[in-house]
C-alpha cells in the first residue's frame, strides 16, 4: 500500500487551475473526463504521488452518480465549503484481498467499484475503487483505495510519453498531509487500524515518504486542510 493521490475539490475552470499552478512553478496538466460521473479533473504528478483537482461538469450526471459513488457524493456535499482539500487515496495491489482484510477488521466496505476516465487524447483508463461505508457529513471521511488496471511500469511509461512525469515533476515530493479534526487521538488510532500502521508520537502516521498528521481544530468541518510538498533538489 502506498499514497496514490490527493483530491482537491474545486468549482473553478480547470484551465484556470492549471494556469495558477504553472504560475507557482508546478507543471499541472488536464486529466480528462469521468463520463459516467459528470466530473473532470486536472492533475499534478510528483515523485511519490499526484494531486487531483476534481470538478463537476454535468450536475445531473453527478447527482445520479452520487448514489453509488462516495467520492462524488462527498464532492456535492462539500460544495458549500468552497474550494479545498478533500481526501486522500492509497493504491493497493489486490483490491479483493484488501477488502477482505478491512471487512475482517470490522470496517464495513462498499463493493469493489469499477471506474474509468477518458483522457484528452481519447484513451480510456480503467481502475477499481473501494470505500469504507460512512454517511457523508462534516466528520472526517476515511481514505479510499484504488487499484489501477495498468501495471505501474505501464502507467509511468504512458505518463512520461505524455510529458506528465518528467524530471521536473520528480523533483517534487508530497511530504505531509494535515487533517483538522475534533479528536486527533481518536482519528489517528482509527486510521492506524484501517491502514495497518503504527501511530507516531504526535498524532501522526508515517507511510513511506509522507506524514499524515491529525491536528485539533474544533468547530470546523473535519477535512484535509494542508498538503506540503518538498523539493528533492
Amino acid at each position: 500500500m502506498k499514497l496514490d493521490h490527493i483530491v482537491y475539490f474545486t468549482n473553478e475552470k480547470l484551465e484556470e487551475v492549471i494556469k495558477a499552478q504553472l504560475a507557482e512553478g508546478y507543471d499541472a496538466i488536464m486529466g480528462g473526463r469521468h463520463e459516467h460521473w459528470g466530473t473532470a479533473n486536472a492533475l499534478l504528478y510528483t515523485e511519490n504521488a499526484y494531486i487531483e483537482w476534481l470538478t463537476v461538469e454535468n450536475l445531473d450526471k453527478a447527482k445520479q452518480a452520487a448514489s453509488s459513488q462516495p467520492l462524488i457524493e462527498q464532492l456535492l456535499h462539500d460544495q458549500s465549503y468552497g474550494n479545498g482539500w478533500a481526501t486522500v487515496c492509497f493504491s493497493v495491489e489486490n483490491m479483493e484481498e484488501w477488502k477482505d482484510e478491512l471487512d475482517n477488521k470490522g470496517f464495513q466496505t462498499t463493493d469493489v467499484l469499477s471506474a474509468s476516465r477518458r483522457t484528452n487524447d481519447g484513451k480510456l483508463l480503467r481502475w477499481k475503487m473501494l470505500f469504507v461505508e460512512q454517511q457523508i457529513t462534516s466528520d472526517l471521511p476515511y481514505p479510499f483505495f484504488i487499484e489501477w488496471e495498468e501495471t505501474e511500469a505501464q502507467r509511468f511509461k504512458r505518463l512520461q510519453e505524455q510529458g506528465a512525469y518528467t524530471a521536473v515533476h520528480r523533483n517534487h515530493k508530497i511530504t505531509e498531509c494535515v487533517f483538522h479534526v475534533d479528536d486527533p487521538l481518536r482519528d489517528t488510532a482509527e486510521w492506524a487500524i484501517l491502514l495497518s500502521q503504527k501511530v507516531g508520537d504526535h498524532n501522526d502516521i508515517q507511510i513511506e515518504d509522507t506524514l499524515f498528521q491529525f491536528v485539533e481544530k474544533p468547530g470546523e468541518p473535519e477535512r484535509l486542510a494542508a498538503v506540503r510538498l518538498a523539493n528533492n533538489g
Side-chain angles (χ1 to χ4, degrees), residues 84-201:
W85 297 107
T87 189
V88 299
C89 174
F90 294 94
S91 62
V92 297
E93 293 184 353
N94 188 313
M95 188 65 81
E96 284 73 17
E97 287 185 3
W98 182 245
K99 173 178 169 59
D100 288 343
E101 181 175 332
L102 294 186
D103 290 342
N104 288 336
K105 289 178 181 178
F107 293 96
Q108 187 170 355
T109 58
T110 64
D111 292 334
V112 175
L113 307 176
S114 297
S116 64
R117 170 170 61 84
R118 182 77 64 179
T119 65
N120 278 359
D121 60 7
K123 181 176 177 60
L124 188 64
L125 306 179
R126 295 184 175 90
W127 60 90
K128 298 176 182 178
M129 306 176 78
L130 181 71
F131 295 82
V132 177
E133 290 192 357
Q134 61 185 144
Q135 185 178 357
I136 304 298
T137 67
S138 62
D139 293 340
L140 182 68
Y142 287 116
F144 66 100
F145 305 94
I146 191 167
E147 181 184 7
W148 294 95
E149 183 178 79
E150 296 175 301
T151 65
E152 190 162 297
Q154 289 172 329
R155 282 186 67 216
F156 286 114
K157 183 176 184 295
R158 172 178 55 80
L159 293 170
Q160 288 170 346
E161 291 172 347
Q162 293 174 343
Y165 190 66
T166 66
V168 174
H169 296 94
R170 292 192 294 274
N171 195 43
H172 300 288
K173 178 185 295 186
I174 296 171
T175 59
E176 189 172 3
C177 295
V178 180
F179 301 87
H180 287 177
V181 298
D182 290 340
D183 188 341
L185 189 64
R186 177 198 64 200
D187 289 310
T188 309
E190 287 184 353
W191 279 49
I193 294 170
L194 176 73
L195 302 174
S196 299
Q197 301 293 322
K198 294 180 179 179
V199 175
D201 295 331

Side-chain angles (χ1 to χ4, degrees), residues 5-8 10 12-19 21 27-34 39-45 50-55 117 120:
H5 67 279
I6 300 169
V7 183
Y8 185 101
T10 182
E12 297 178 15
K13 293 184 180 298
L14 295 178
E15 293 82 0
E16 296 303 315
V17 170
I18 291 172
K19 286 181 182 178
Q21 289 303 307
D27 193 7
I29 62 167
M30 191 68 71
R33 290 180 169 82
H34 309 100
T39 59
N41 64 13
L43 307 171
L44 173 65
Y45 287 89
Y50 70 92
I51 295 170
E52 173 187 26
W53 288 267
L54 185 63
T55 191
R117 170 170 61 84
N120 278 359

